[in-house]
Structures are given as C-alpha cells and as structure tokens.
C-alpha cells in the first residue's frame, strides 16, 4: 500500500493535471458553441436554397451543382454472397457479424492496490488473453471466422446513382433467416464443432457448449442485410450522382436517411443531430472541468483523509464545491461564447448565470446568519465599538 507521503505527492501531481484540465474544458466548450452556431447558420441557409426533386425518374441537368432533396426507393440489382457460408441475398449490403464467447479481464485500482477479475462474455473479435495479468486458465482460442461485409457496387435512386458516402448511410440492417441444413452442406465436414440455429443466429459450438449455455470458444454469427427501400437524401447534384454540398460558410450537407421525409423534415433531423452533439460536448466539458477541480482540491482532501468523519465530510464538501465551480465555469464560458455570435441571447445567459452565482452566495450568507455565525460588515463601512466589545 502507498504511504501517506506518497499519496499526498500523487495528489499534488494530480492538482497540476487538474490546473490544465480546467482551461482545457473551457476551450472545448468555447469551440463547441462556435461549431454549433456555425452549423446552425449553414442549415438555415440550406433550408432556404434546397430544391426538392418531385420526379426522381427525370434527369435534372439544370440543377447541377445545386443543393437538392430527393425521396425515392434505393434499389440494387446485385446479389451479395458470403464466400464462406454461402448465404446470399439481393440488397445494398450483406454482413457477417461474428462474436466469440471468451474471457475478459477487468482491472481495478483502489488506494494503490490493483485487482484483476475475469468473466466470460460474447464479444466481437478475439480478446488478446496473452496480455492478461493472469493468462493461465483464461486462454481465448483463435477466432474461427472473421467479420465480413460486402456493398453493392451500384445503388440507384430513380434516375440517379448513390455516391459511396450516401450509400453507407443507409443503415437499416435486418437479420436474415438462414437455412441451417444448406449452410451445413456448404461448410462440409471440416467445421470446428456442431452447427446450430437459435435466437436468429448461427452457433458454431467449437467450445462444446450450447446456444443457451455457451463455453469459451463457441461462436455466434448473425447475417445482416441492408435491403432495397425508400430513402430521403439532401446533397449536391452532380450529373447522375451526388456530392457533398458546401454552404457559403463552409458547412457540408451530404445526408441520407432511410424512409420518406420532406426537405423540411430532413433539415429538422440535421438540426436535432447538431443539438445532440452540442449537448454531448457540453456534458463532456462539464465533466472535464469537474474532474479538474476535484484534482485541484485533491491535496486538501488528502490532508484530512486520515481523520475519521472529518475526512468524509471534507470529501463531500469538496465534491459539492467542484460541481458548483464546474457548472459555473461551463455556464460562463457558454454565455461569453454566445455573445460573439448572438449578443442578446449570450448577454442574457451571462446576466442570468452571474445572478445565479450571486444568489447562491447570498443564500450561503443567510444560512450562516441563521446559524448565529456573524458576518463582518464591508470594510468601507465604519464599525461602531460598544462597551461589550471592549470587555
């Protein structure tokens, strides 16, 4: 176990790391607000200039280089075939998703002590058991079958052809049912174990288990198909295909959704995605700031950690203070960032955040008064001395 001096030294080093994390979180938050507003302006422009193509079967050379919206069936005539299992289907993408039941190592470090635990789980690919802390008794065998997928070479939407980037955005995969007898015949006798069909998957039971009770080395395979079907896209038209369109501020519009949607609905989906990304990064910035403040306060917590009850109380107080400071830092950074692009909204957020911080300090001060804790008056006001105070 680490001694108190070593733990304090580590806490001081962590404080230096925390000092770097706090401005890093502020920079991340500021960049995110700029990115969000920049994307919003680009989508506003796209909504104004996009042209919906009502007849997808008609060529439109007059719209070359323009931002267009199109809803129609995406169709491939190509039959896709798995080279090992012989599973075949006509569609846009055929994939073989392979999982193996295998050992996984979990490492946990607490108070300088590192512990390792091992469990079995289904996982894609092979987990490298040779790198385990205790590899003996936790060996994962070689993976019998690799991942595999194939895309159709040409996918048509009316009179037009999908670009590779748009084609790969059609992600409505469906599980394929498999003729297990035909599959066994395709594989022949040289298989690493019994082959069974259960739970919409092919089980290659090389480990000697069953679908409901697998052993290490058993493999589970699902065949997935992206079928022909309706799509809605928004991109730049280029002859008989599409390309990424750039708005005047440099934002890229090159999006496809499975299903039938109007141009307005596509724009709303893009706005929603922009909002989700913005809030995820805001959350990440807050967590980064929170961890930074916790690390900065780490040495103070470590100094009192050895005192019963006091150490726990100090840790809780520091955690609350770190949440407050991280939240305040995030809100202030976001507010200032918005002032640069939307002064009225940004200024309002800034005033509200400062008001909230002031209100919280006032509540704290009133709480201290209620408990009989005297709060000295401001330095610029004269203090009247009484006889009682001079005794």
């Amino acid at each position: 176990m680490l001694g108190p001096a070593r733990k304090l030294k580590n806490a001081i080093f962590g404080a230096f790391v925390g000092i770097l994390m706090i401005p890093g979180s502020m920079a991340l938050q500021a960049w995110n607000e700029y990115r969000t507003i920049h994307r919003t302006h680009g989508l506003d422009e796209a909504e104004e200039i996009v042209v919906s193509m009502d007849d997808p079967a008609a060529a439109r050379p007059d719209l070359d280089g323009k931002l267009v919206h199109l809803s129609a069936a995406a169709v491939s005539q190509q039959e896709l075939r798995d080279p090992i299992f012989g599973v075949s289907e006509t569609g846009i993408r055929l994939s073989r998703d392979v999982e193996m039941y295998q050992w996984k190592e979990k490492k946990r470090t607490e108070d300088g002590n590192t512990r390792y635990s091992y469990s079995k789980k289904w996982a894609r690919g092979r987990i490298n058991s040779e790198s385990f802390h205790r590899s003996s008794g936790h060996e994962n065998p070689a993976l019998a079958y690799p991942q595999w997928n194939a895309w159709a070479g040409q996918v048509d939407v009316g009179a037009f052809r999908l670009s590779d980037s748009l084609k790969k955005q059609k992600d409505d995969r469906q599980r394929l049912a498999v003729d297990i007898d035909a599959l066994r015949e395709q594989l022949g006798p040289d298989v690493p174990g019994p082959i069974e069909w259960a739970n919409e998957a092919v089980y290659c039971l090389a480990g000697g288990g069953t679908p409901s009770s697998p052993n290490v080395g058993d493999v589970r395979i699902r065949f997935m198909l992206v079928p022909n079907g309706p799509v809605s896209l928004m991109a730049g038209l280029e002859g008989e295909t599409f390309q990424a369109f750039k708005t005047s501020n440099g934002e890229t519009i090159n999006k496809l959704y499975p299903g039938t949607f109007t141009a307005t609905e596509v724009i709303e989906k893009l706005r929603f995605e922009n909002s989700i990304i913005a809030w995820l990064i805001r959350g990440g910035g807050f967590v980064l700031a929170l961890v930074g403040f916790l690390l900065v306060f780490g040495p103070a917590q470590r100094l009192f950690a050895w005192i019963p009850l006091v150490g726990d109380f100090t840790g809780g107080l520091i955690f609350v203070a770190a949440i407050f400071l991280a939240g305040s830092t995030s809100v202030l950074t976001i507010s200032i960032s918005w002032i640069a692009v939307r002064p009225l909204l940004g200024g309002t957020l800034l005033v509200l955040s400062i008001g909230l911080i002031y209100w919280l300090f006032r509540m704290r001060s009133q709480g201290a008064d209620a408990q009989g804790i005297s709060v000295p008056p401001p330095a610029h006001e004269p203090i009247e001395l009484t006889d009682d105070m001079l005794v």
Side-chain angles (χ1 to χ4, degrees):
M1 295 180 62
L2 297 177
R6 181 65 181 276
K7 290 180 180 180
L8 181 60
K9 182 178 178 181
N10 290 343
I12 293 173
F13 175 76
F16 283 108
V17 175
I19 291 173
L20 298 177
M21 292 176 70
I22 295 169
S25 74
M26 297 173 68
L28 177 65
Q29 297 271 25
W31 169 83
N32 179 50
E33 298 312 313
Y34 169 79
R35 182 209 62 79
T36 302
I37 293 299
H38 199 268
R39 182 67 174 170
T40 299
H41 289 167
L43 293 176
D44 289 344
E45 178 185 333
E47 187 174 28
E48 293 178 0
I49 65 175
V50 66
V51 179
S52 289
M53 303 174 68
D54 297 327
D55 184 4
R60 293 293 303 271
D62 58 308
L63 295 180
D64 265 13
K66 302 287 183 64
L67 180 65
V68 299
H69 159 261
L70 177 64
S71 288
V75 178
S76 165
Q77 305 295 340
Q78 183 176 345
E79 183 183 60
L80 306 172
R81 181 180 176 84
D82 186 304
I84 295 178
F85 292 87
V87 175
S88 63
E89 195 71 42
T90 299
I92 296 172
R93 179 191 179 194
L94 179 64
S95 60
R96 179 204 308 151
D97 287 354
V98 182
E99 297 173 296
M100 183 168 70
Y101 198 69
Q102 54 192 304
W103 288 104
K104 180 184 178 182
E105 179 183 76
K106 184 177 181 180
K107 177 181 177 182
R108 185 177 65 182
T109 301
E110 186 176 340
D111 293 330
N113 295 321
T114 301
R115 296 179 176 86
Y116 299 87
S117 60
Y118 297 87
S119 60
K120 303 170 188 177
K121 60 170 288 186
W122 289 106
R124 288 186 175 184
R126 176 184 180 270
I127 299 173
N128 182 17
S129 56
E130 287 78 11
S131 65
F132 288 172
H133 181 70
R134 293 194 300 272
S135 58
S136 178
H138 305 105
E139 297 90 354
N140 290 327
L143 188 62
Y145 304 105
Q147 300 284 124
W148 172 88
N149 73 86
W151 290 91
Q154 180 172 328
V155 180
D156 296 321
V157 180
F160 306 94
R161 186 178 69 255
L162 287 183
S163 63
D164 288 342
S165 60
L166 290 175
K167 179 171 57 180
K168 292 179 180 179
Q169 292 180 48
K170 191 174 188 303
D171 55 2
D172 53 339
R173 301 196 306 165
Q174 302 175 357
R175 291 184 185 177
L176 283 181
V178 171
D179 184 337
I180 195 66
D181 293 327
L183 189 143
R184 290 192 184 106
E185 185 178 349
Q186 167 73 20
L187 292 176
D190 299 327
V191 292
I195 307 293
E196 294 187 22
W197 172 258
N199 307 317
E200 297 183 289
V202 175
Y203 286 80
C204 301
L205 302 170
T210 66
S212 59
S213 181
N215 287 337
V216 171
D218 289 340
V219 173
R220 180 170 65 188
I221 302 171
R222 291 189 173 97
F223 296 95
M224 311 292 291
L225 176 72
V226 175
N228 296 334
V231 298
S232 298
L233 65 89
M234 189 173 291
L237 184 63
E238 186 180 60
E240 295 181 351
T241 186
F242 304 91
Q243 64 177 352
F245 180 86
K246 286 192 177 296
T247 61
S248 60
N249 69 345
E251 284 295 322
T252 299
I253 310 293
N254 188 47
K255 191 66 179 179
L256 179 146
Y257 294 104
T260 302
F261 303 101
T262 65
T264 300
E265 289 171 333
V266 171
I267 290 291
E268 287 306 310
K269 284 180 172 290
L270 291 170
R271 286 191 175 122
F272 179 73
E273 291 174 2
N274 187 38
S275 177
I276 292 296
I277 294 171
W279 281 106
L280 286 175
I281 297 177
R282 285 168 187 158
F286 169 78
V287 171
L288 189 64
L290 175 61
V291 174
F293 280 113
L294 288 174
L295 289 173
V296 167
F297 293 141
Q301 182 179 4
R302 183 53 57 188
L303 286 173
F304 295 99
W306 61 278
I307 306 176
L309 298 180
V310 174
D312 293 337
F313 175 77
T314 304
L317 191 63
I318 286 175
F319 185 73
V320 172
I323 290 178
F324 171 75
L325 290 172
S328 301
T329 301
S330 298
V331 172
L332 288 172
T333 302
I334 292 171
S335 302
I336 294 171
S337 300
W338 275 68
I339 287 176
V341 289
R342 291 190 178 178
L344 181 59
L345 180 58
T348 303
L349 285 174
L350 182 60
V351 171
L352 289 175
S353 61
I354 293 175
L356 177 61
I357 294 171
Y358 174 76
W359 177 78
L360 289 172
F361 274 111
R362 287 285 297 173
M363 291 294 292
R364 177 180 177 275
S365 177
Q366 291 175 6
D369 291 341
Q371 297 177 28
I373 301 174
S374 62
V375 179
H380 64 274
E381 295 184 4
I383 302 176
E384 182 179 352
L385 300 178
T386 65
D387 293 340
D388 294 336
M389 296 175 66
L390 295 174
V391 175

